[in-house]
């Protein structure tokens, strides 16, 4: 779920904030070296998913608390951070 939320967050950031189209932003991001920053900014969407799993509610929608899913979202966020570091400094 964390990786999917990260992908959705990256997509929404590119579409809503930047003047680029999605494919153009990914290609230009890789070519110009800001693809890692796009990935890390997309991970902000994981924050919503993390608190949803820990509190079990968003608005009127309630469900049992899922600690292991919240742990998975944290791991996916760390993976996104590592990917961001790799794209910024190594590749």
């Amino acid at each position: 779920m964390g990786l999917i939320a990260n992908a959705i967050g990256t997509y929404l950031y590119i579409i809503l904030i930047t003047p680029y189209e999605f494919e153009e932003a990914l290609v230009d991001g890789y070519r110009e070296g800001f693809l890692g920053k796009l990935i890390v900014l997309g991970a902000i969407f994981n924050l919503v998913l993390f608190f949803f799993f820990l509190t079990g509610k968003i608005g009127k929608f309630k469900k049992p608390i899922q600690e292991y899913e919240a742990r998975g979202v944290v791991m996916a966020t760390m993976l996104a951070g590592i990917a961001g570091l790799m794209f910024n400094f190594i590749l």
Side-chain angles (χ1 to χ4, degrees):
M1 292 294 291
L3 294 176
I4 293 170
N6 193 357
I8 291 171
T10 303
Y11 179 77
L12 288 176
Y13 175 76
I14 290 172
I15 295 300
L16 297 175
I17 305 297
T18 66
Y20 297 110
E21 294 294 325
F22 183 69
E23 295 85 11
E24 180 185 358
L26 291 180
V27 171
D28 286 347
Y30 182 74
R31 190 178 319 127
E32 296 177 18
F34 63 87
L35 183 61
K37 293 176 178 98
L38 288 176
I39 293 171
V40 172
L41 282 171
I44 293 173
F45 197 66
N46 285 351
L47 187 65
V48 174
L49 190 62
F50 175 74
F51 282 114
F52 175 68
F53 283 138
L54 280 186
T55 61
K57 62 181 177 178
I58 290 181
K60 293 182 181 180
F61 183 75
K62 293 183 181 181
K63 64 185 208 87
I65 295 174
Q66 298 174 329
E67 296 163 352
Y68 290 111
E69 284 80 0
R71 186 183 302 172
V73 171
V74 170
M75 290 172 51
T77 305
M78 285 188 225
L79 190 67
I82 292 169
L85 285 173
M86 286 179 54
F87 277 111
N88 279 334
F89 296 113
I90 296 173
L91 298 177

